[in-house]
Amino acid sequence: MSAGRRINLKQARMLLDKDFVISEIDKRIYGSFIEHLGRAVYGGIYEPGHSEADEQGFRRDVMELVKELQVPIVRYPGGNFVSGYNWEDGVGPKEDRPKRLELAWKMIETNEVGTNEFADWAKKVNTEVMMAVNLGTRGIDAARNLVEYCNHPGGTYWSDLRKSHGYQEPHKIKTWCLGNEMDGPWQIGHMNAEDYGKKALEAAKVMKWVDDSIELVSCGSSSTGMKTFPEWEATSLDITYEAVDYVSLHQYYGNPNNDTESYLAKSLDMDHFIKTVISTCDYIKAKKRSKKTLMLSFDEWNVWYHSHSADKQLKPWQVAPPQLEDVYNFEDALLVGCMLITMLKHSDRVKMACMAQLVNVIAPIMTSNGGGAWKQTIFYPYLHTSVYGRGKALQPVISSDKYDSKEFTDVPYLESVSVYDEESEAVTIFAVNRSLTDELHLDCDVRSFAGYQLVEHIVLENDDLKAVNTEQCEQVKPHSNGNALLQDGKIEATLAKASWNVIRLAKK
């Protein structure tokens, strides 16, 4: 590359060293979410009579896409849905299951799919279940009974009931959420932080008495925009701290004003959110003089704004209506990439995360009823990080040109993190060029990885920031024609304007 051409490029330098370890990455950071909402379940993962349906009614084409993503854990059954859900409605003979008015999303819930069916589906796609319990209309008793039903071997009422339903072996569900967004006035059973803390603590006690091997997630704030944030965390965790293992974070971003420079910088807000929750947890730890460090579960995150106007037109009390079906564009994929990078930079504390959601509802995978399944634009950064982002997250030392937007100042054009897999002797660099107009010249020092060679440079790019993928046409998909070059311990690459990049190295 000539020096003359470099003058016209944005510039970034990065130093990677195998000793600059942030943390071993918990694979559950690449989790997702299925809620009984819209077409996530019915018409999404489950559609009896479809040409791709298996013997239980689950769509094989969807299962193949989920397996391609290597999703390690899926949160279920909600979401706002869980705060009005009677789990007993979804077990036993299907012909005996009641249809219910589902108040959170104003639809009819048929209960054709419940706890056992979802556990079956999870096994088929090689994932674990993160089960949420209802602390809205229900509480301590229903929570302990569900743990007994799912996890106890047998010889008791609820475990033997499971056996009578055809499941001799327990599901052994490890991770459990103590309610959902209980800080939100929209939530069925909404309560203040102190009342939630007391209820969650009592539920946690009996759930762990039934099965002391489980992990519990306490509800954090519904977003950074809540007026009670972060006091909600401080107050509730002051009660639940020693009884739980994680606190949840939820955050969605959008670009309704078409300010893309600010939009691509939203991951800086996510970074601040994570740091604030960590600080709050550590304040409670210090206050209690506890030896335990609380971890974070970012169990709802994504882009969500495209479907808002369409959802207002939906008539209530339908079965599986097309709710929250955001059609994602290319710039959404760039922000999703930045958000994934941000969580990896905090992998020492963010141990679990769930892209919300997995199929049809604000999702990387879309289907048509009776038709095909396809990959949305956001599928690809999720795929690349899940597949290549296993190992140790490395703290990059970055110097990058910056810009100011309407909402943010000093935004680096380069957003990046690296992952080192000692077992396979592989290094992967994930990088986003936020510049909408210019290429970015990246100079990366990798002398710590002597004897490594370049495997490939994957690029997701498109001249149209609003380009989308549909069942008929995939406009946004990656290629492996990136121009990264490794020589004398340094990588040089020109990152295309507004692009997602995956640069892979391996030991010779």
Side-chain angles (χ1 to χ4, degrees):
M1 183 185 299
S2 69
R5 188 182 174 194
R6 286 191 193 178
I7 294 173
N8 300 319
L9 303 181
K10 298 292 190 290
Q11 302 290 323
R13 296 192 309 275
M14 183 161 63
L15 169 64
L16 294 182
D17 193 294
K18 63 177 63 176
D19 290 330
F20 295 176
V21 176
I22 299 170
S23 175
E24 184 74 28
I25 298 164
D26 189 323
K27 67 179 181 179
R28 294 178 298 173
I29 205 170
Y30 305 118
S32 194
F33 182 22
I34 288 285
E35 181 171 1
H36 282 253
L37 158 61
R39 294 191 310 119
V41 176
Y42 309 114
I45 65 171
Y46 176 82
E47 191 176 348
H50 192 281
S51 60
E52 290 284 341
D54 68 5
E55 70 285 353
Q56 285 186 285
F58 293 118
R59 287 183 56 159
R60 293 185 180 91
D61 54 349
V62 174
M63 287 192 284
E64 288 306 310
L65 290 174
V66 174
K67 286 191 282 188
E68 184 179 350
L69 287 169
Q70 298 183 26
V71 181
I73 194 167
V74 180
R75 186 167 171 247
Y76 176 85
N80 295 345
F81 170 85
V82 77
S83 293
Y85 181 51
N86 300 326
W87 69 265
E88 301 92 339
D89 290 346
V91 298
K94 289 191 178 185
E95 61 271 19
D96 296 337
R97 298 181 189 180
K99 292 180 173 63
R100 299 282 193 190
L101 289 180
E102 201 291 288
L103 301 182
W105 301 106
K106 290 190 177 293
M107 64 181 206
I108 301 292
E109 173 54 51
T110 66
N111 286 302
E112 291 175 68
V113 172
T115 299
N116 294 319
E117 290 83 10
F118 191 77
D120 286 341
W121 178 84
K123 289 178 182 177
K124 292 179 181 186
V125 297
N126 305 319
T127 194
E128 298 176 15
V129 178
M130 178 192 291
M131 184 70 77
V133 299
N134 178 357
L135 293 190
T137 59
R138 306 293 293 279
I140 301 165
D141 195 46
R144 67 162 180 169
N145 293 343
L146 181 56
V147 176
E148 182 182 325
Y149 182 90
C150 291
N151 287 10
H152 197 68
T156 66
Y157 176 81
W158 292 107
S159 60
D160 286 346
L161 184 64
R162 181 197 70 243
K163 288 186 172 186
S164 75
H165 293 157
Y167 294 83
Q168 294 299 309
E169 297 301 318
H171 297 310
K172 298 180 180 178
I173 295 172
K174 178 181 179 180
T175 309
W176 297 75
C177 298
L178 296 168
N180 174 77
E181 294 186 353
M182 301 309 299
D183 64 322
W186 59 85
Q187 198 71 208
I188 300 170
H190 161 67
M191 61 193 83
N192 63 38
E194 183 176 2
D195 288 344
Y196 168 74
K198 290 177 180 177
K199 192 171 188 179
L201 174 63
E202 295 307 312
K205 281 164 50 178
V206 296
M207 291 168 74
K208 284 197 172 182
W209 286 348
V210 173
D211 183 352
D212 62 7
S213 71
I214 64 176
E215 297 178 322
L216 298 176
V217 184
S218 182
C219 278
S221 295
S222 301
S223 74
T224 56
M226 299 299 292
K227 292 181 179 179
T228 52
F229 173 73
E231 185 58 36
W232 170 276
E233 282 81 357
T235 301
S236 61
L237 289 177
D238 197 32
I239 301 169
T240 65
Y241 192 87
E242 296 296 346
V244 300
D245 306 282
Y246 304 86
V247 64
S248 71
L249 295 81
H250 292 182
Q251 187 68 55
Y252 299 96
Y253 295 112
N255 188 20
N257 299 319
N258 200 28
D259 177 7
T260 303
E261 285 191 330
S262 294
Y263 181 53
L264 296 184
K266 295 285 188 181
S267 56
L268 301 184
D269 178 79
M270 186 185 205
D271 180 78
H272 180 69
F273 185 16
I274 293 170
K275 289 177 179 175
T276 303
V277 175
I278 289 172
S279 298
T280 307
C281 292
D282 290 349
Y283 159 67
I284 299 299
K285 176 183 179 179
K287 179 181 177 182
K288 291 183 171 294
R289 302 182 184 183
S290 175
K291 294 181 178 180
K292 182 172 77 174
T293 299
L294 200 67
M295 297 301 167
L296 277 55
S297 174
F298 215 127
D299 52 37
E300 285 191 34
W301 71 271
N302 206 344
V303 169
W304 176 17
Y305 75 103
H306 296 285
S307 61
H308 288 345
S309 58
D311 284 355
K312 292 178 181 179
Q313 309 303 318
L314 284 174
K315 293 181 180 180
W317 315 128
Q318 300 181 62
V319 175
Q323 290 173 295
L324 279 63
E325 295 195 2
D326 277 34
V327 176
Y328 291 114
N329 59 37
F330 175 58
E331 68 181 12
D332 298 329
L334 295 177
L335 179 58
V336 164
C338 290
M339 295 170 79
L340 285 159
I341 288 170
T342 300
M343 287 188 286
L344 287 172
K345 285 182 175 180
H346 290 286
S347 56
D348 57 328
R349 299 296 290 272
V350 179
K351 296 298 182 182
M352 297 189 293
C354 300
M355 175 185 272
Q357 293 187 16
L358 186 54
V359 185
N360 287 331
V361 174
I362 48 175
I365 299 169
M366 292 294 290
T367 72
S368 59
N369 291 347
W374 65 97
K375 303 171 182 177
Q376 292 233 62
T377 63
I378 64 171
F379 183 96
Y380 290 108
Y382 183 13
L383 170 70
H384 294 149
T385 49
S386 179
V387 173
Y388 301 123
R390 310 288 177 107
K392 295 179 179 179
L394 301 181
Q395 181 65 59
V397 179
I398 296 175
S399 174
S400 173
D401 288 344
K402 300 178 180 180
Y403 69 93
D404 295 338
S405 72
K406 291 179 182 178
E407 296 183 36
F408 298 91
T409 58
D410 294 325
V411 182
Y413 285 109
L414 177 67
E415 182 64 89
S416 184
V417 74
S418 299
V419 175
Y420 173 41
D421 185 347
E422 285 184 293
E423 185 175 344
S424 64
E425 296 187 298
V427 180
T428 303
I429 299 169
F430 302 108
V432 173
N433 176 10
R434 286 191 176 101
S435 175
L436 306 181
T437 57
D438 297 310
E439 297 175 327
L440 177 69
H441 175 255
L442 173 62
D443 188 338
C444 183
D445 187 332
V446 291
R447 285 176 291 179
S448 171
F449 296 97
Y452 279 66
Q453 62 186 2
L454 187 73
V455 175
E456 65 178 336
H457 177 183
I458 303 169
V459 183
L460 190 66
E461 59 181 330
N462 198 293
D463 287 335
D464 182 4
L465 290 168
K466 308 301 182 182
V468 302
N469 293 343
T470 66
E471 186 173 3
Q472 293 75 31
C473 180
E474 187 174 38
Q475 297 186 78
V476 180
K477 57 183 177 182
H479 64 77
S480 295
N481 300 322
N483 59 20
L485 177 67
L486 172 58
Q487 191 172 6
D488 299 328
K490 289 193 176 183
I491 294 173
E492 283 199 67
T494 301
L495 308 186
K497 66 178 183 180
S499 63
W500 162 258
N501 299 264
V502 182
I503 301 173
R504 299 176 56 221
L505 311 178
K507 195 75 174 286
K508 289 181 182 178

